[in-house]
Amino acid sequence: MDIFERLTTLGKKPVIAQIGGFRPEASIISSFGGDFYLHESDNWPSDQDGFMIPIIQIYVPEVPEGRKRFGDKRLIQVYLNSEKLPVDYAKNGEGWLLREYDSIEGMRKMKTPSECKQVKSFQIKWSEAGTPDFPCWEQSWDYLDMSEINESDELSDRFFNEFDRYFFTKIGGFPSYIQSPCLGDLDYIFQISSEEKPGFMIADNGKLYIAKSKDDGQWYLAWDSY
């Protein structure tokens, strides 16, 4: 088996987010930018800078093989601080917030407070990608000795032409880093990208990477941009 055949075995198909672009359906719960579900007794998430911005709501039963990715959780929500992006490896609650719910019983769709309504709301449809993601150049060295490709311009060109990743918001696959890999020993779970339709921009067309600690299972966020 040559180096490219071995690289092919590393492929993982992500689940991709179709953000809007279809007639809204009352049955869809996953959303980008708002229309989040809360219990009537819940307060809207806030921190030292006020109400937090709703970014993504993932209803796990709508995600192909969702239980494999999120276990017994039914609903995942991500919020951001309204003034600035988190820095470094931000633990859940440090400039951002990930909420997990075991059930949506007793929850209802809540209107986003005007103070933090910075992103347009769209429903999300999830579907498995038709082609797999592959690790980026730096990550590939974690799996294989890439010296053979590194020493050949022809093989390098082939690698960068054939082994790519889905760039936009997705669950699973491999993270589509813009800079060098930035998650360290954390386990990547899903990616939230800058998205034109809802008007969501992370610095200069960047991406958020949501990951879990292998040690204590805590959620972390990292990001990069151009």
Side-chain angles (χ1 to χ4, degrees), residues 31-68:
S31 64
F32 198 101
D35 291 335
F36 281 14
Y37 277 50
L38 296 176
H39 292 287
E40 289 190 8
S41 59
D42 285 344
N43 293 320
W44 191 268
S46 61
D47 61 11
Q48 71 278 3
D49 293 314
F51 289 135
M52 302 184 80
I53 303 168
I55 304 302
I56 197 167
Q57 175 170 268
I58 301 169
Y59 184 49
V60 175
E62 294 173 348
V63 178
E65 296 190 330
R67 288 194 63 165
K68 180 187 293 186

PDB file of all heavy atoms in Angstrom, residues 31-68:
ATOM      1  N   SER A  31     -30.780  25.281  14.472  1.00  0.00           N
ATOM      2  CA  SER A  31     -30.809  26.630  13.904  1.00  0.00           C
ATOM      3  C   SER A  31     -29.470  27.326  14.085  1.00  0.00           C
ATOM      4  O   SER A  31     -28.655  26.954  14.930  1.00  0.00           O
ATOM      5  CB  SER A  31     -31.919  27.465  14.552  1.00  0.00           C
ATOM      6  OG  SER A  31     -31.660  27.653  15.933  1.00  0.00           O
ATOM      7  N   PHE A  32     -29.272  28.341  13.271  1.00  0.00           N
ATOM      8  CA  PHE A  32     -28.078  29.173  13.318  1.00  0.00           C
ATOM      9  C   PHE A  32     -28.526  30.603  13.596  1.00  0.00           C
ATOM     10  O   PHE A  32     -29.403  31.124  12.916  1.00  0.00           O
ATOM     11  CB  PHE A  32     -27.331  29.110  11.980  1.00  0.00           C
ATOM     12  CG  PHE A  32     -25.900  29.555  12.041  1.00  0.00           C
ATOM     13  CD1 PHE A  32     -24.877  28.628  12.080  1.00  0.00           C
ATOM     14  CD2 PHE A  32     -25.575  30.909  12.053  1.00  0.00           C
ATOM     15  CE1 PHE A  32     -23.547  29.028  12.138  1.00  0.00           C
ATOM     16  CE2 PHE A  32     -24.259  31.321  12.121  1.00  0.00           C
ATOM     17  CZ  PHE A  32     -23.239  30.382  12.164  1.00  0.00           C
ATOM     18  N   GLY A  33     -27.942  31.222  14.616  1.00  0.00           N
ATOM     19  CA  GLY A  33     -28.161  32.636  14.845  1.00  0.00           C
ATOM     20  C   GLY A  33     -29.372  33.016  15.683  1.00  0.00           C
ATOM     21  O   GLY A  33     -29.666  34.192  15.830  1.00  0.00           O
ATOM     22  N   GLY A  34     -30.078  32.055  16.244  1.00  0.00           N
ATOM     23  CA  GLY A  34     -31.236  32.404  17.063  1.00  0.00           C
ATOM     24  C   GLY A  34     -32.331  31.362  17.001  1.00  0.00           C
ATOM     25  O   GLY A  34     -32.115  30.246  16.523  1.00  0.00           O
ATOM     26  N   ASP A  35     -33.535  31.725  17.476  1.00  0.00           N
ATOM     27  CA  ASP A  35     -34.655  30.785  17.592  1.00  0.00           C
ATOM     28  C   ASP A  35     -34.260  29.595  18.465  1.00  0.00           C
ATOM     29  O   ASP A  35     -34.590  28.445  18.175  1.00  0.00           O
ATOM     30  CB  ASP A  35     -35.129  30.302  16.216  1.00  0.00           C
ATOM     31  CG  ASP A  35     -35.791  31.415  15.418  1.00  0.00           C
ATOM     32  OD1 ASP A  35     -36.298  32.360  16.048  1.00  0.00           O
ATOM     33  OD2 ASP A  35     -35.793  31.341  14.182  1.00  0.00           O
ATOM     34  N   PHE A  36     -33.553  29.872  19.551  1.00  0.00           N
ATOM     35  CA  PHE A  36     -33.090  28.825  20.448  1.00  0.00           C
ATOM     36  C   PHE A  36     -34.203  28.402  21.404  1.00  0.00           C
ATOM     37  O   PHE A  36     -35.085  29.187  21.736  1.00  0.00           O
ATOM     38  CB  PHE A  36     -31.878  29.295  21.244  1.00  0.00           C
ATOM     39  CG  PHE A  36     -30.576  29.238  20.472  1.00  0.00           C
ATOM     40  CD1 PHE A  36     -30.552  29.078  19.099  1.00  0.00           C
ATOM     41  CD2 PHE A  36     -29.370  29.342  21.143  1.00  0.00           C
ATOM     42  CE1 PHE A  36     -29.363  29.018  18.401  1.00  0.00           C
ATOM     43  CE2 PHE A  36     -28.168  29.281  20.462  1.00  0.00           C
ATOM     44  CZ  PHE A  36     -28.169  29.118  19.088  1.00  0.00           C
ATOM     45  N   TYR A  37     -34.130  27.176  21.856  1.00  0.00           N
ATOM     46  CA  TYR A  37     -35.095  26.635  22.805  1.00  0.00           C
ATOM     47  C   TYR A  37     -34.573  26.824  24.235  1.00  0.00           C
ATOM     48  O   TYR A  37     -33.402  26.565  24.515  1.00  0.00           O
ATOM     49  CB  TYR A  37     -35.304  25.148  22.546  1.00  0.00           C
ATOM     50  CG  TYR A  37     -36.301  24.847  21.447  1.00  0.00           C
ATOM     51  CD1 TYR A  37     -36.220  25.459  20.205  1.00  0.00           C
ATOM     52  CD2 TYR A  37     -37.338  23.949  21.656  1.00  0.00           C
ATOM     53  CE1 TYR A  37     -37.128  25.174  19.190  1.00  0.00           C
ATOM     54  CE2 TYR A  37     -38.259  23.648  20.659  1.00  0.00           C
ATOM     55  CZ  TYR A  37     -38.145  24.275  19.432  1.00  0.00           C
ATOM     56  OH  TYR A  37     -39.052  24.003  18.437  1.00  0.00           O
ATOM     57  N   LEU A  38     -35.444  27.274  25.105  1.00  0.00           N
ATOM     58  CA  LEU A  38     -35.117  27.418  26.517  1.00  0.00           C
ATOM     59  C   LEU A  38     -36.311  26.957  27.355  1.00  0.00           C
ATOM     60  O   LEU A  38     -37.449  26.982  26.891  1.00  0.00           O
ATOM     61  CB  LEU A  38     -34.794  28.874  26.866  1.00  0.00           C
ATOM     62  CG  LEU A  38     -33.572  29.531  26.221  1.00  0.00           C
ATOM     63  CD1 LEU A  38     -33.497  30.991  26.628  1.00  0.00           C
ATOM     64  CD2 LEU A  38     -32.294  28.812  26.608  1.00  0.00           C
ATOM     65  N   HIS A  39     -36.024  26.560  28.591  1.00  0.00           N
ATOM     66  CA  HIS A  39     -37.100  26.342  29.541  1.00  0.00           C
ATOM     67  C   HIS A  39     -37.643  27.703  29.974  1.00  0.00           C
ATOM     68  O   HIS A  39     -36.905  28.699  30.012  1.00  0.00           O
ATOM     69  CB  HIS A  39     -36.585  25.579  30.768  1.00  0.00           C
ATOM     70  CG  HIS A  39     -36.191  24.168  30.473  1.00  0.00           C
ATOM     71  ND1 HIS A  39     -37.116  23.179  30.232  1.00  0.00           N
ATOM     72  CD2 HIS A  39     -34.968  23.584  30.376  1.00  0.00           C
ATOM     73  CE1 HIS A  39     -36.490  22.039  30.003  1.00  0.00           C
ATOM     74  NE2 HIS A  39     -35.188  22.248  30.087  1.00  0.00           N
ATOM     75  N   GLU A  40     -38.895  27.751  30.289  1.00  0.00           N
ATOM     76  CA  GLU A  40     -39.495  29.023  30.701  1.00  0.00           C
ATOM     77  C   GLU A  40     -38.792  29.609  31.921  1.00  0.00           C
ATOM     78  O   GLU A  40     -38.759  30.820  32.105  1.00  0.00           O
ATOM     79  CB  GLU A  40     -40.988  28.833  30.979  1.00  0.00           C
ATOM     80  CG  GLU A  40     -41.809  28.598  29.718  1.00  0.00           C
ATOM     81  CD  GLU A  40     -43.296  28.666  29.987  1.00  0.00           C
ATOM     82  OE1 GLU A  40     -43.678  29.055  31.114  1.00  0.00           O
ATOM     83  OE2 GLU A  40     -44.082  28.346  29.081  1.00  0.00           O
ATOM     84  N   SER A  41     -38.224  28.735  32.734  1.00  0.00           N
ATOM     85  CA  SER A  41     -37.537  29.205  33.942  1.00  0.00           C
ATOM     86  C   SER A  41     -36.098  29.635  33.677  1.00  0.00           C
ATOM     87  O   SER A  41     -35.448  30.212  34.559  1.00  0.00           O
ATOM     88  CB  SER A  41     -37.549  28.097  35.004  1.00  0.00           C
ATOM     89  OG  SER A  41     -36.915  26.931  34.505  1.00  0.00           O
ATOM     90  N   ASP A  42     -35.591  29.370  32.464  1.00  0.00           N
ATOM     91  CA  ASP A  42     -34.209  29.732  32.139  1.00  0.00           C
ATOM     92  C   ASP A  42     -34.086  31.220  31.858  1.00  0.00           C
ATOM     93  O   ASP A  42     -34.972  31.823  31.212  1.00  0.00           O
ATOM     94  CB  ASP A  42     -33.728  28.971  30.901  1.00  0.00           C
ATOM     95  CG  ASP A  42     -33.429  27.520  31.179  1.00  0.00           C
ATOM     96  OD1 ASP A  42     -33.305  27.161  32.363  1.00  0.00           O
ATOM     97  OD2 ASP A  42     -33.308  26.747  30.205  1.00  0.00           O
ATOM     98  N   ASN A  43     -32.997  31.801  32.296  1.00  0.00           N
ATOM     99  CA  ASN A  43     -32.645  33.150  31.875  1.00  0.00           C
ATOM    100  C   ASN A  43     -31.812  33.062  30.603  1.00  0.00           C
ATOM    101  O   ASN A  43     -31.082  32.090  30.386  1.00  0.00           O
ATOM    102  CB  ASN A  43     -31.831  33.861  32.961  1.00  0.00           C
ATOM    103  CG  ASN A  43     -32.644  34.130  34.206  1.00  0.00           C
ATOM    104  OD1 ASN A  43     -33.814  34.505  34.130  1.00  0.00           O
ATOM    105  ND2 ASN A  43     -32.032  33.926  35.373  1.00  0.00           N
ATOM    106  N   TRP A  44     -31.901  34.105  29.771  1.00  0.00           N
ATOM    107  CA  TRP A  44     -31.039  34.131  28.589  1.00  0.00           C
ATOM    108  C   TRP A  44     -29.583  34.191  29.066  1.00  0.00           C
ATOM    109  O   TRP A  44     -29.262  34.936  29.982  1.00  0.00           O
ATOM    110  CB  TRP A  44     -31.355  35.343  27.706  1.00  0.00           C
ATOM    111  CG  TRP A  44     -30.672  35.250  26.371  1.00  0.00           C
ATOM    112  CD1 TRP A  44     -29.444  35.751  26.039  1.00  0.00           C
ATOM    113  CD2 TRP A  44     -31.171  34.602  25.210  1.00  0.00           C
ATOM    114  NE1 TRP A  44     -29.142  35.447  24.737  1.00  0.00           N
ATOM    115  CE2 TRP A  44     -30.183  34.732  24.200  1.00  0.00           C
ATOM    116  CE3 TRP A  44     -32.348  33.903  24.916  1.00  0.00           C
ATOM    117  CZ2 TRP A  44     -30.333  34.211  22.920  1.00  0.00           C
ATOM    118  CZ3 TRP A  44     -32.503  33.372  23.636  1.00  0.00           C
ATOM    119  CH2 TRP A  44     -31.506  33.535  22.663  1.00  0.00           C
ATOM    120  N   PRO A  45     -28.681  33.395  28.462  1.00  0.00           N
ATOM    121  CA  PRO A  45     -27.288  33.392  28.927  1.00  0.00           C
ATOM    122  C   PRO A  45     -26.664  34.787  28.888  1.00  0.00           C
ATOM    123  O   PRO A  45     -26.849  35.538  27.923  1.00  0.00           O
ATOM    124  CB  PRO A  45     -26.592  32.463  27.933  1.00  0.00           C
ATOM    125  CG  PRO A  45     -27.672  31.592  27.406  1.00  0.00           C
ATOM    126  CD  PRO A  45     -28.900  32.451  27.353  1.00  0.00           C
ATOM    127  N   SER A  46     -25.921  35.109  29.918  1.00  0.00           N
ATOM    128  CA  SER A  46     -25.254  36.408  29.982  1.00  0.00           C
ATOM    129  C   SER A  46     -23.926  36.248  30.697  1.00  0.00           C
ATOM    130  O   SER A  46     -23.689  35.273  31.412  1.00  0.00           O
ATOM    131  CB  SER A  46     -26.127  37.439  30.700  1.00  0.00           C
ATOM    132  OG  SER A  46     -26.378  37.038  32.038  1.00  0.00           O
ATOM    133  N   ASP A  47     -23.044  37.213  30.481  1.00  0.00           N
ATOM    134  CA  ASP A  47     -21.774  37.267  31.205  1.00  0.00           C
ATOM    135  C   ASP A  47     -21.506  38.716  31.569  1.00  0.00           C
ATOM    136  O   ASP A  47     -22.429  39.539  31.597  1.00  0.00           O
ATOM    137  CB  ASP A  47     -20.643  36.636  30.392  1.00  0.00           C
ATOM    138  CG  ASP A  47     -20.388  37.330  29.051  1.00  0.00           C
ATOM    139  OD1 ASP A  47     -20.947  38.438  28.816  1.00  0.00           O
ATOM    140  OD2 ASP A  47     -19.622  36.782  28.235  1.00  0.00           O
ATOM    141  N   GLN A  48     -20.247  39.056  31.821  1.00  0.00           N
ATOM    142  CA  GLN A  48     -19.924  40.410  32.292  1.00  0.00           C
ATOM    143  C   GLN A  48     -20.249  41.491  31.271  1.00  0.00           C
ATOM    144  O   GLN A  48     -20.377  42.673  31.621  1.00  0.00           O
ATOM    145  CB  GLN A  48     -18.436  40.500  32.679  1.00  0.00           C
ATOM    146  CG  GLN A  48     -17.455  40.451  31.525  1.00  0.00           C
ATOM    147  CD  GLN A  48     -17.145  39.038  31.042  1.00  0.00           C
ATOM    148  OE1 GLN A  48     -17.720  38.066  31.539  1.00  0.00           O
ATOM    149  NE2 GLN A  48     -16.229  38.926  30.107  1.00  0.00           N
ATOM    150  N   ASP A  49     -20.411  41.111  29.987  1.00  0.00           N
ATOM    151  CA  ASP A  49     -20.717  42.096  28.944  1.00  0.00           C
ATOM    152  C   ASP A  49     -22.179  42.062  28.513  1.00  0.00           C
ATOM    153  O   ASP A  49     -22.548  42.643  27.492  1.00  0.00           O
ATOM    154  CB  ASP A  49     -19.806  41.875  27.727  1.00  0.00           C
ATOM    155  CG  ASP A  49     -18.349  42.177  28.040  1.00  0.00           C
ATOM    156  OD1 ASP A  49     -18.091  43.224  28.662  1.00  0.00           O
ATOM    157  OD2 ASP A  49     -17.471  41.374  27.676  1.00  0.00           O
ATOM    158  N   GLY A  50     -23.029  41.389  29.283  1.00  0.00           N
ATOM    159  CA  GLY A  50     -24.453  41.366  28.975  1.00  0.00           C
ATOM    160  C   GLY A  50     -24.887  40.072  28.300  1.00  0.00           C
ATOM    161  O   GLY A  50     -24.212  39.040  28.386  1.00  0.00           O
ATOM    162  N   PHE A  51     -26.029  40.141  27.621  1.00  0.00           N
ATOM    163  CA  PHE A  51     -26.561  38.950  26.958  1.00  0.00           C
ATOM    164  C   PHE A  51     -25.573  38.416  25.922  1.00  0.00           C
ATOM    165  O   PHE A  51     -24.938  39.184  25.195  1.00  0.00           O
ATOM    166  CB  PHE A  51     -27.890  39.270  26.267  1.00  0.00           C
ATOM    167  CG  PHE A  51     -29.028  39.514  27.214  1.00  0.00           C
ATOM    168  CD1 PHE A  51     -29.886  40.589  27.028  1.00  0.00           C
ATOM    169  CD2 PHE A  51     -29.255  38.667  28.285  1.00  0.00           C
ATOM    170  CE1 PHE A  51     -30.940  40.815  27.893  1.00  0.00           C
ATOM    171  CE2 PHE A  51     -30.308  38.883  29.156  1.00  0.00           C
ATOM    172  CZ  PHE A  51     -31.152  39.965  28.965  1.00  0.00           C
ATOM    173  N   MET A  52     -25.483  37.085  25.839  1.00  0.00           N
ATOM    174  CA  MET A  52     -24.566  36.437  24.898  1.00  0.00           C
ATOM    175  C   MET A  52     -25.257  36.175  23.562  1.00  0.00           C
ATOM    176  O   MET A  52     -26.480  35.980  23.490  1.00  0.00           O
ATOM    177  CB  MET A  52     -24.035  35.139  25.505  1.00  0.00           C
ATOM    178  CG  MET A  52     -23.312  35.339  26.829  1.00  0.00           C
ATOM    179  SD  MET A  52     -22.592  33.820  27.500  1.00  0.00           S
ATOM    180  CE  MET A  52     -21.085  33.711  26.511  1.00  0.00           C
ATOM    181  N   ILE A  53     -24.470  36.153  22.493  1.00  0.00           N
ATOM    182  CA  ILE A  53     -24.985  35.992  21.130  1.00  0.00           C
ATOM    183  C   ILE A  53     -25.244  34.513  20.842  1.00  0.00           C
ATOM    184  O   ILE A  53     -24.338  33.682  20.986  1.00  0.00           O
ATOM    185  CB  ILE A  53     -23.987  36.538  20.099  1.00  0.00           C
ATOM    186  CG1 ILE A  53     -23.657  38.002  20.381  1.00  0.00           C
ATOM    187  CG2 ILE A  53     -24.533  36.389  18.681  1.00  0.00           C
ATOM    188  CD1 ILE A  53     -22.486  38.526  19.585  1.00  0.00           C
ATOM    189  N   PRO A  54     -26.457  34.158  20.421  1.00  0.00           N
ATOM    190  CA  PRO A  54     -26.719  32.768  20.038  1.00  0.00           C
ATOM    191  C   PRO A  54     -26.091  32.461  18.678  1.00  0.00           C
ATOM    192  O   PRO A  54     -26.334  33.172  17.701  1.00  0.00           O
ATOM    193  CB  PRO A  54     -28.248  32.705  19.970  1.00  0.00           C
ATOM    194  CG  PRO A  54     -28.659  34.100  19.595  1.00  0.00           C
ATOM    195  CD  PRO A  54     -27.654  35.018  20.238  1.00  0.00           C
ATOM    196  N   ILE A  55     -25.283  31.415  18.607  1.00  0.00           N
ATOM    197  CA  ILE A  55     -24.606  31.087  17.352  1.00  0.00           C
ATOM    198  C   ILE A  55     -25.212  29.846  16.694  1.00  0.00           C
ATOM    199  O   ILE A  55     -25.659  29.907  15.551  1.00  0.00           O
ATOM    200  CB  ILE A  55     -23.092  30.873  17.588  1.00  0.00           C
ATOM    201  CG1 ILE A  55     -22.480  32.114  18.255  1.00  0.00           C
ATOM    202  CG2 ILE A  55     -22.397  30.589  16.252  1.00  0.00           C
ATOM    203  CD1 ILE A  55     -22.652  33.399  17.481  1.00  0.00           C
ATOM    204  N   ILE A  56     -25.213  28.727  17.396  1.00  0.00           N
ATOM    205  CA  ILE A  56     -25.733  27.509  16.764  1.00  0.00           C
ATOM    206  C   ILE A  56     -26.481  26.657  17.784  1.00  0.00           C
ATOM    207  O   ILE A  56     -26.099  26.586  18.954  1.00  0.00           O
ATOM    208  CB  ILE A  56     -24.600  26.696  16.095  1.00  0.00           C
ATOM    209  CG1 ILE A  56     -25.159  25.678  15.110  1.00  0.00           C
ATOM    210  CG2 ILE A  56     -23.707  26.015  17.138  1.00  0.00           C
ATOM    211  CD1 ILE A  56     -24.102  25.058  14.198  1.00  0.00           C
ATOM    212  N   GLN A  57     -27.570  26.064  17.312  1.00  0.00           N
ATOM    213  CA  GLN A  57     -28.342  25.105  18.091  1.00  0.00           C
ATOM    214  C   GLN A  57     -28.396  23.797  17.302  1.00  0.00           C
ATOM    215  O   GLN A  57     -28.883  23.774  16.168  1.00  0.00           O
ATOM    216  CB  GLN A  57     -29.756  25.621  18.350  1.00  0.00           C
ATOM    217  CG  GLN A  57     -30.675  24.629  19.057  1.00  0.00           C
ATOM    218  CD  GLN A  57     -31.964  25.277  19.508  1.00  0.00           C
ATOM    219  OE1 GLN A  57     -32.072  25.763  20.622  1.00  0.00           O
ATOM    220  NE2 GLN A  57     -32.966  25.288  18.630  1.00  0.00           N
ATOM    221  N   ILE A  58     -27.883  22.734  17.890  1.00  0.00           N
ATOM    222  CA  ILE A  58     -27.841  21.425  17.242  1.00  0.00           C
ATOM    223  C   ILE A  58     -28.830  20.503  17.950  1.00  0.00           C
ATOM    224  O   ILE A  58     -28.646  20.188  19.133  1.00  0.00           O
ATOM    225  CB  ILE A  58     -26.425  20.821  17.311  1.00  0.00           C
ATOM    226  CG1 ILE A  58     -25.400  21.740  16.636  1.00  0.00           C
ATOM    227  CG2 ILE A  58     -26.401  19.435  16.668  1.00  0.00           C
ATOM    228  CD1 ILE A  58     -23.954  21.346  16.903  1.00  0.00           C
ATOM    229  N   TYR A  59     -29.864  20.098  17.237  1.00  0.00           N
ATOM    230  CA  TYR A  59     -30.789  19.117  17.783  1.00  0.00           C
ATOM    231  C   TYR A  59     -30.280  17.752  17.350  1.00  0.00           C
ATOM    232  O   TYR A  59     -30.346  17.378  16.171  1.00  0.00           O
ATOM    233  CB  TYR A  59     -32.207  19.374  17.285  1.00  0.00           C
ATOM    234  CG  TYR A  59     -33.245  18.458  17.889  1.00  0.00           C
ATOM    235  CD1 TYR A  59     -33.301  18.252  19.270  1.00  0.00           C
ATOM    236  CD2 TYR A  59     -34.162  17.786  17.094  1.00  0.00           C
ATOM    237  CE1 TYR A  59     -34.245  17.406  19.832  1.00  0.00           C
ATOM    238  CE2 TYR A  59     -35.115  16.938  17.648  1.00  0.00           C
ATOM    239  CZ  TYR A  59     -35.147  16.762  19.027  1.00  0.00           C
ATOM    240  OH  TYR A  59     -36.079  15.914  19.590  1.00  0.00           O
ATOM    241  N   VAL A  60     -29.749  17.010  18.292  1.00  0.00           N
ATOM    242  CA  VAL A  60     -28.986  15.797  17.992  1.00  0.00           C
ATOM    243  C   VAL A  60     -29.771  14.778  17.167  1.00  0.00           C
ATOM    244  O   VAL A  60     -29.202  14.167  16.249  1.00  0.00           O
ATOM    245  CB  VAL A  60     -28.432  15.187  19.298  1.00  0.00           C
ATOM    246  CG1 VAL A  60     -27.730  13.860  19.025  1.00  0.00           C
ATOM    247  CG2 VAL A  60     -27.464  16.169  19.971  1.00  0.00           C
ATOM    248  N   PRO A  61     -31.085  14.546  17.408  1.00  0.00           N
ATOM    249  CA  PRO A  61     -31.804  13.578  16.581  1.00  0.00           C
ATOM    250  C   PRO A  61     -31.855  13.961  15.096  1.00  0.00           C
ATOM    251  O   PRO A  61     -32.153  13.085  14.260  1.00  0.00           O
ATOM    252  CB  PRO A  61     -33.211  13.564  17.193  1.00  0.00           C
ATOM    253  CG  PRO A  61     -32.986  13.927  18.629  1.00  0.00           C
ATOM    254  CD  PRO A  61     -31.900  14.966  18.573  1.00  0.00           C
ATOM    255  N   GLU A  62     -31.591  15.212  14.757  1.00  0.00           N
ATOM    256  CA  GLU A  62     -31.588  15.622  13.346  1.00  0.00           C
ATOM    257  C   GLU A  62     -30.239  15.384  12.675  1.00  0.00           C
ATOM    258  O   GLU A  62     -30.116  15.544  11.456  1.00  0.00           O
ATOM    259  CB  GLU A  62     -31.958  17.112  13.244  1.00  0.00           C
ATOM    260  CG  GLU A  62     -33.383  17.401  13.669  1.00  0.00           C
ATOM    261  CD  GLU A  62     -33.712  18.878  13.743  1.00  0.00           C
ATOM    262  OE1 GLU A  62     -32.791  19.715  13.683  1.00  0.00           O
ATOM    263  OE2 GLU A  62     -34.908  19.208  13.882  1.00  0.00           O
ATOM    264  N   VAL A  63     -29.230  15.009  13.450  1.00  0.00           N
ATOM    265  CA  VAL A  63     -27.869  14.829  12.942  1.00  0.00           C
ATOM    266  C   VAL A  63     -27.632  13.353  12.622  1.00  0.00           C
ATOM    267  O   VAL A  63     -27.819  12.499  13.492  1.00  0.00           O
ATOM    268  CB  VAL A  63     -26.828  15.295  13.978  1.00  0.00           C
ATOM    269  CG1 VAL A  63     -25.410  15.060  13.476  1.00  0.00           C
ATOM    270  CG2 VAL A  63     -27.045  16.760  14.328  1.00  0.00           C
ATOM    271  N   PRO A  64     -27.236  13.009  11.392  1.00  0.00           N
ATOM    272  CA  PRO A  64     -26.902  11.611  11.106  1.00  0.00           C
ATOM    273  C   PRO A  64     -25.872  11.070  12.097  1.00  0.00           C
ATOM    274  O   PRO A  64     -24.836  11.698  12.331  1.00  0.00           O
ATOM    275  CB  PRO A  64     -26.322  11.680   9.686  1.00  0.00           C
ATOM    276  CG  PRO A  64     -27.003  12.867   9.058  1.00  0.00           C
ATOM    277  CD  PRO A  64     -27.129  13.861  10.183  1.00  0.00           C
ATOM    278  N   GLU A  65     -26.198   9.943  12.700  1.00  0.00           N
ATOM    279  CA  GLU A  65     -25.358   9.313  13.730  1.00  0.00           C
ATOM    280  C   GLU A  65     -25.045  10.295  14.861  1.00  0.00           C
ATOM    281  O   GLU A  65     -23.946  10.319  15.410  1.00  0.00           O
ATOM    282  CB  GLU A  65     -24.064   8.765  13.123  1.00  0.00           C
ATOM    283  CG  GLU A  65     -24.308   7.651  12.112  1.00  0.00           C
ATOM    284  CD  GLU A  65     -23.028   6.950  11.693  1.00  0.00           C
ATOM    285  OE1 GLU A  65     -21.957   7.601  11.697  1.00  0.00           O
ATOM    286  OE2 GLU A  65     -23.094   5.759  11.362  1.00  0.00           O
ATOM    287  N   GLY A  66     -26.050  11.073  15.217  1.00  0.00           N
ATOM    288  CA  GLY A  66     -25.849  12.111  16.225  1.00  0.00           C
ATOM    289  C   GLY A  66     -25.448  11.563  17.586  1.00  0.00           C
ATOM    290  O   GLY A  66     -24.622  12.162  18.277  1.00  0.00           O
ATOM    291  N   ARG A  67     -26.004  10.415  17.972  1.00  0.00           N
ATOM    292  CA  ARG A  67     -25.682   9.857  19.289  1.00  0.00           C
ATOM    293  C   ARG A  67     -24.217   9.430  19.357  1.00  0.00           C
ATOM    294  O   ARG A  67     -23.594   9.500  20.419  1.00  0.00           O
ATOM    295  CB  ARG A  67     -26.587   8.672  19.607  1.00  0.00           C
ATOM    296  CG  ARG A  67     -28.014   9.084  19.925  1.00  0.00           C
ATOM    297  CD  ARG A  67     -28.798   7.957  20.557  1.00  0.00           C
ATOM    298  NE  ARG A  67     -28.218   7.564  21.849  1.00  0.00           N
ATOM    299  CZ  ARG A  67     -28.878   6.818  22.731  1.00  0.00           C
ATOM    300  NH1 ARG A  67     -30.106   6.400  22.473  1.00  0.00           N
ATOM    301  NH2 ARG A  67     -28.311   6.476  23.868  1.00  0.00           N
ATOM    302  N   LYS A  68     -23.664   8.985  18.226  1.00  0.00           N
ATOM    303  CA  LYS A  68     -22.251   8.609  18.208  1.00  0.00           C
ATOM    304  C   LYS A  68     -21.373   9.826  18.496  1.00  0.00           C
ATOM    305  O   LYS A  68     -20.308   9.711  19.103  1.00  0.00           O
ATOM    306  CB  LYS A  68     -21.886   8.018  16.849  1.00  0.00           C
ATOM    307  CG  LYS A  68     -20.430   7.591  16.734  1.00  0.00           C
ATOM    308  CD  LYS A  68     -20.074   7.181  15.320  1.00  0.00           C
ATOM    309  CE  LYS A  68     -20.793   5.931  14.900  1.00  0.00           C
ATOM    310  NZ  LYS A  68     -20.318   5.448  13.556  1.00  0.00           N
TER     311      LYS A  68
END
